[in-house]
Amino acid sequence: MSSPTPAPASPRPVRVLLVEDDDLMRRSFTVALERYGYRMNAAADGLAGLELFRDESFDLLILDVMLPGLDGIGLCRRVRETSLVPVLMMSARGDGLDVVAGLEAGADDYVVKPVDTYVLVARIRSLLRRATYAPAPGPGQAAGEGPSPAAGESLVFGDLTIDTGGLEVSVADRPVALTPTELKLLLEFAAHPGIVLERHTLLRNVWEYGWDGDSRVVDLCVQRLRSKLGRDRIETVRGFGYKLRR
C-alpha cells in the first residue's frame, strides 16, 4: 500500500512584536491577535522591546507611543537605524504631536486607542501586504485605477532609477533603502509620472484607507521620500496633491 501524500507545509506564522506598558491591553491584544494566527511576542517597556527586536526576527512591530524607559518614538527611531520592518504605532491621545512624531520617526501607520481588534487586524494585514508587495504584470491604467508598473520594468526619472522587478531604488547610482510603505508610494507615483495624485487616492491605493483616512500619513511619508530621493523629485500641487516629476 502506497504511503499517503504528505500535506502541504503550512505557511510560516507571521511574527509580531507588541510593545505596550499597560498589562491589560498587552494581554488582551496578544490573545486577540493569536486567535488570528499571529505568533506574538510582547514587552512592557521600550528597552525590553528593543532587546527583543535585536535578539529575534519579526515581520511587524506594534509600538505604543507612551512607554517607560524608551518611548515608542525613540524605539521606532532605533529600529529604523537597522531595519525596514513594518511599524504600526498606537497612540492613546491621537493628537497631532503623537501622529507626526511617530510618522517622522519612520512608522508606516498608526491607530488610536482604544482600537477594535478588527481595525487593528485590518491595519496589520494592509502593512503586511505592502511588505510582500510585487507589481502586477501588464500595462498601467488611469491614475488611481490601475496597477503599479509591471514587474521587471526599469523606470528612470533623471538620476532616479526604479527597478520594479527587484524592487530596488537608486539615486545617481547610489542604492536607497525604502520602507515597504515608502516603496509602494513611490511606485504609485511612478505609475503616473507628471500626473497629480490626490491625497485620498494615495490613501486608498497605498494605505488601503477609505475617505476617512488621515492625510497626514501621506504628507509625512512624502516628506520622508523627499529626504531620501531629493527635495525636488516629488512636487506639491497646493490644494490638490503630489506628482512625480518626469
Side-chain angles (χ1 to χ4, degrees):
M1 182 176 180
S2 61
S3 300
T5 303
S10 300
R12 180 180 65 84
V14 172
R15 298 200 63 194
V16 176
L17 173 59
L18 168 67
V19 188
E20 165 63 66
D21 63 321
D22 184 283
D23 291 339
L24 179 59
M25 284 190 176
R26 189 173 62 254
R27 289 196 298 268
S28 63
F29 282 139
T30 296
V31 171
L33 293 177
E34 284 177 341
R35 288 174 179 164
Y36 280 86
Y38 298 108
R39 183 178 172 186
M40 301 295 298
N41 286 74
D45 63 76
L47 291 175
L50 182 61
E51 184 176 353
L52 264 175
F53 167 75
R54 287 173 170 172
D55 288 345
E56 303 186 37
S57 176
F58 295 97
D59 300 296
L60 182 136
L61 308 185
I62 304 175
L63 311 178
D64 186 30
V65 170
M66 303 298 293
L67 293 171
L70 176 66
D71 66 17
I73 308 300
L75 177 53
C76 186
R77 288 198 182 100
R78 299 285 288 274
V79 166
R80 282 290 175 254
E81 291 174 359
T82 59
S83 175
L84 301 175
V85 63
V87 174
L88 178 65
M89 301 294 297
M90 292 195 299
S91 168
R93 297 183 300 173
D95 62 21
L97 291 177
D98 278 357
V99 172
V100 170
L103 295 172
E104 285 183 337
D108 297 279
D109 204 351
Y110 78 97
V111 292
V112 177
K113 296 187 295 185
V115 56
D116 290 331
T117 300
Y118 78 90
V119 173
L120 184 60
V121 170
R123 296 293 177 85
I124 289 172
R125 287 174 174 170
S126 176
L127 274 175
L128 291 173
R129 280 193 291 270
R130 277 175 252 162
T132 57
Y133 174 75
Q141 300 174 13
E145 298 178 357
S148 292
E153 187 177 0
S154 185
L155 305 175
V156 179
F157 305 94
D159 61 356
L160 170 65
T161 301
I162 307 170
D163 175 1
T164 62
L167 296 179
E168 297 176 345
V169 176
S170 63
V171 174
D173 296 324
R174 176 181 57 85
V176 177
L178 300 180
T179 68
T181 301
E182 292 165 354
L183 177 60
K184 190 171 182 185
L185 179 60
L186 178 59
L187 288 170
E188 188 69 24
F189 282 126
H192 315 104
I195 297 175
V196 178
L197 300 181
E198 298 178 337
R199 288 174 176 84
H200 70 80
T201 298
L202 296 170
L203 282 169
R204 183 180 66 244
N205 293 351
V206 177
W207 282 267
E208 302 178 15
Y209 280 8
W211 281 90
D212 58 345
D214 186 344
S215 65
R216 286 175 296 185
V217 298
V218 176
D219 297 336
L220 270 296
C221 195
V222 167
Q223 178 178 307
R224 296 204 315 256
L225 268 181
R226 284 172 169 162
S227 70
K228 296 180 179 183
L229 306 179
R231 303 298 304 176
D232 298 329
R233 181 57 56 195
I234 300 173
E235 181 181 346
T236 300
V237 181
R238 295 192 181 279
F240 294 93
Y242 301 99
K243 68 178 179 179
L244 179 69
R245 288 183 172 174
R246 295 178 183 272

